[in-house]
């Protein structure tokens, strides 16, 4: 098993009602973090957000995309990480080029963290928690406390390029019904997991790391899934966004310039449109492909 792959795996404790997720990002996080000139602390924080959104996406079932969005009152106005059901990720720290803070608390003081699920079909769901607790993991644990009511613990790390994460969640009683035994098992597993070092999350293969953390607990590791950086922007999405401005505003824009350019802030892809592109897009509307 490659230790530098971009992978997410679920695992279950075979003798306790506890499950977990373990993820490692290498190329995907490096590609995203290299696209912008982030100060090192901002890159590490965004990497943790990327790790977290993958952990959450594999823990919470949905078909669509999940967005983790922090809006702070400090040096980073907006920090976002997204992951879809195919485990394609993207992320950005907006306006963070000059940020001097060194950690979560100083970079994102006072603000909110929104966890949004946008299903392909159906209602959008959003949960909001305050940016508190000193780190992103604590903040997300608070979210799980409120929304899922299942004891959940997370460990996140990023060295500015690679990122890693571990999540443990206590499941409703199935194998073990005795409440004292359940809480003892949870405490046992949690205390062991809490010994995990950042370097282990960043460098160790998943099977080895789990065997190292929980040497005496039978664990079943489920098949790995690949994670990759893939931006969801497209020509059609840009055209749709332009069209939504309305014909009056568009006419004014095209009177000023022949080509309207749009840059995707996530992947730096540049798009350029002439008035005739919009007209053609509208003509093709019924046959528009679903992107
Ligand atoms: Zn893009």
């Amino acid at each position: 098993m490659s230790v530098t792959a971009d992978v997410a795996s679920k695992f279950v404790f075979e003798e306790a009602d506890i499950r977990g997720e373990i993820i490692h990002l290498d190329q995907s996080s490096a590609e995203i973090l290299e696209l912008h000139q982030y100060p090192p602390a901002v890159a590490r924080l965004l990497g943790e957000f990327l790790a977290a959104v993958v952990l959450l996406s594999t823990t919470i079932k949905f078909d669509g995309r999940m967005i983790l969005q922090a809006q702070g009152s400090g040096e980073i106005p907006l920090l976002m990480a997204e992951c879809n059901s195919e485990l394609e990720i993207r992320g950005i720290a907006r306006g963070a080029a000059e940020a001097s803070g060194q950690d979560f608390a100083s970079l994102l003081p006072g603000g909110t963290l929104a966890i949004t699920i946008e299903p392909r079909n159906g209602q959008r769901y959003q949960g909001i928690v305050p940016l508190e607790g000193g780190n992103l993991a604590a903040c997300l644990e608070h979210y799980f406390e409120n929304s899922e009511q299942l004891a959940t613990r997370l460990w996140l790390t990023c060295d500015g390029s690679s990122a890693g994460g571990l999540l443990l969640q206590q499941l409703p009683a199935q194998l073990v019904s005795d409440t004292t035994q359940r809480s003892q098992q949870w405490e046992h597993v949690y205390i062991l997991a809490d010994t995990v070092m950042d370097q282990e999350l960043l460098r160790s293969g998943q099977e080895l790391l789990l065997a190292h953390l929980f040497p005496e607990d039978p664990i079943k590791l489920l098949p790995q899934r690949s994670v990759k950086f893939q931006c969801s922007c497209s020509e059609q999405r840009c055209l749709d966004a332009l069209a939504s401005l309305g014909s009056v505003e568009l006419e004014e824009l095209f009177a000023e310039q022949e080509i309207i350019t749009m840059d995707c802030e996530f992947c730096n892809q540049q798009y350029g449109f002439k008035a005739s592109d919009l007209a053609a897009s509208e003509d093709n509307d019924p046959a528009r492909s679903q992107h």
Side-chain angles (χ1 to χ4, degrees), residues 6-272:
D6 294 74
V7 286
S9 305
K10 290 174 194 279
F11 59 92
V12 288
F13 287 83
E14 297 189 88
E15 293 170 4
D17 294 310
I18 299 169
R19 68 167 172 177
E21 305 279 343
I22 185 163
I23 66 127
H24 184 269
L25 306 179
D26 192 60
Q27 197 183 335
S28 58
S29 51
E31 281 173 3
I32 292 168
L33 299 175
E34 278 166 10
L35 274 172
H36 301 272
Q37 302 287 319
Y38 294 124
V42 174
R44 289 195 298 271
L45 185 60
L46 180 54
E48 283 192 18
F49 268 74
L50 293 168
V53 80
V54 177
L55 281 177
L56 264 60
S57 296
T58 48
T59 302
I60 302 169
K61 279 201 186 104
F62 64 91
D63 177 28
R65 66 173 176 159
M66 174 181 282
I67 305 145
L68 263 189
Q69 183 173 316
Q71 279 182 294
S73 53
E75 292 179 305
I76 306 180
L78 182 75
L79 198 152
M80 275 173 84
E82 286 183 21
C83 182
N84 65 17
S85 317
E86 288 71 45
L87 302 189
E88 293 169 343
I89 58 169
R90 64 176 191 170
I92 189 168
R94 198 181 283 162
E98 306 294 327
S100 61
Q102 287 303 305
D103 56 15
F104 175 87
S106 54
L107 286 166
L108 291 172
T112 53
L113 177 69
I115 297 108
T116 310
I117 296 170
E118 287 182 355
R120 281 192 183 94
N121 304 300
Q123 271 316 94
R124 183 170 183 264
Y125 167 83
Q126 189 171 63
I128 296 178
V129 286
L131 285 168
E132 288 173 356
N135 59 53
L136 177 60
C139 204
L140 289 167
E141 285 165 6
H142 186 104
Y143 166 76
F144 277 104
E145 239 166 72
N146 290 344
S147 67
E148 303 248 320
Q149 280 149 14
L150 296 170
T152 308
R153 291 286 179 269
L154 290 102
W155 293 263
L156 301 164
T157 189
C158 175
D159 63 5
S161 179
S162 299
L166 174 68
L167 177 149
L168 289 178
Q169 190 165 62
Q170 193 174 36
L171 298 169
Q174 207 173 6
L175 298 171
V176 179
S177 52
D178 182 73
T179 46
T180 312
Q181 197 187 347
R182 274 174 62 79
S183 49
Q184 279 170 350
Q185 284 182 326
W186 175 247
E187 198 176 331
H188 161 77
V189 165
Y190 166 64
I191 288 170
L192 291 178
D194 207 29
T195 65
V196 73
M197 318 261 274
D198 288 345
Q199 280 307 311
E200 292 178 310
L201 280 176
L202 292 171
R203 308 276 168 252
S204 302
Q206 302 183 330
E207 209 165 344
L208 276 178
L209 177 55
L210 292 178
H212 173 69
L213 287 175
F214 313 107
E216 286 165 9
D217 300 279
I219 288 177
K220 186 174 168 197
L221 184 64
L222 303 177
Q224 292 184 335
R225 293 179 65 200
S226 299
V227 182
K228 67 171 179 173
F229 167 41
Q230 179 72 56
C231 192
S232 53
C233 69
S234 69
E235 206 160 88
Q236 190 59 57
R237 283 194 171 196
C238 291
L239 279 169
D240 291 346
L242 272 183
S244 72
L245 293 175
S247 52
V248 175
E249 194 161 334
L250 279 173
E251 265 173 42
E252 282 173 16
L253 279 170
F254 281 118
E256 289 164 15
Q257 56 206 339
E258 196 187 338
I259 294 174
I260 297 179
T261 57
M262 295 175 83
D263 297 351
C264 174
E265 61 175 352
F266 286 95
C267 69
N268 289 348
Q269 173 76 41
Q270 294 188 315
Y271 296 93

